[in-house]
Amino acid sequence: MRAFEFLTRAAFGFASLMLMLLACGLIVYAMSGVWTSYNDANLDVGSTLLEAVGFTVIAIAVFDVGKYLLEEEAIRGREMRNAAEARRSLTKFISTIVIAVLLEALVTVFQAGKQAPSQMVYPTLLLFVGVLLMIGLGLYQRLSVSVENEANDPPEEDEDGEPEAPNASKVSAPGRAAP
């Protein structure tokens, strides 16, 4: 069993390092495109810069996925111990994806606006998807925190050892208040 765990950790570590290297490669590619556009009078520097921003945003998202795999699977190599830890980890990961989607949508809006305003449907849908992802993340946060609170706050028991209703009054007998 230890050999399998080591092999799994090694595979996740290798995959995460490859993702990080590929992300760095995207940034180098983007920068080389910018350098080439500055040196070639026939190329549009503005569109090359916007394309470089798009590549950089994608690189950041890919790098963060690699970092997530490295931290959560290769280094820690264990399942989440509690719901709060899993929620924080997943929130960090999804937040990066939301930021990447929204930044890509912004870059695409600028590109479509400059080239052909009739092509604004895709960027608009991308912005809509980014907003839906953010709303979904907020709902996930809200629901998971309320579940965590319920798990940490077990219902109080009455004198008979049975759980009380959440809004039960604290009156045990007529005229006598319960402690």
Side-chain angles (χ1 to χ4, degrees):
M1 193 64 167
R2 285 230 188 263
F4 180 73
E5 184 178 337
F6 176 77
L7 184 64
T8 305
R9 282 181 163 189
F12 275 115
F14 179 74
S16 64
L17 291 176
M18 289 305 299
L19 284 172
M20 290 177 181
L21 286 173
L22 290 171
C24 291
L26 274 174
I27 292 174
V28 168
Y29 177 74
M31 295 312 296
S32 70
V34 170
W35 180 258
T36 302
S37 71
Y38 276 125
N39 294 328
D40 189 351
N42 296 330
L43 294 175
D44 181 25
V45 176
S47 63
T48 305
L49 286 171
L50 279 174
E51 187 176 289
V53 169
F55 281 129
T56 304
V57 166
I58 292 168
I60 289 169
V62 170
F63 191 87
D64 199 53
V65 169
K67 186 181 107 184
Y68 174 82
L69 287 175
L70 187 65
E71 288 175 347
E72 300 298 332
E73 300 296 336
I75 294 174
R76 292 171 71 177
R78 60 177 173 80
E79 290 185 24
M80 301 295 169
R81 296 274 186 228
N82 59 38
E85 187 178 353
R87 180 181 47 81
R88 280 191 298 272
S89 181
L90 187 62
T91 299
K92 234 171 71 171
F93 177 72
I94 296 296
S95 295
T96 302
I97 301 302
V98 168
I99 290 168
V101 166
L102 289 174
L103 284 175
E104 182 62 25
L106 188 62
V107 168
T108 310
V109 163
F110 287 132
Q111 286 176 337
K114 286 179 102 178
Q115 295 170 357
S118 63
Q119 298 294 320
M120 292 294 286
V121 173
Y122 170 72
T124 304
L125 288 175
L126 200 55
L127 282 169
F128 183 69
V129 167
V131 169
L132 284 178
L133 281 169
M134 197 179 320
I135 291 170
L137 180 61
L139 286 173
Y140 168 75
Q141 285 277 23
R142 177 78 172 192
L143 293 173
S144 63
V145 166
S146 65
V147 168
E148 288 171 29
N149 288 340
E150 285 178 16
N152 291 337
D153 246 357
E156 295 179 13
E157 295 179 354
D158 65 8
E159 295 169 358
D160 300 330
E162 293 183 24
E164 286 185 8
N167 291 328
S169 66
K170 297 278 186 178
V171 177
S172 59
R176 224 177 64 198

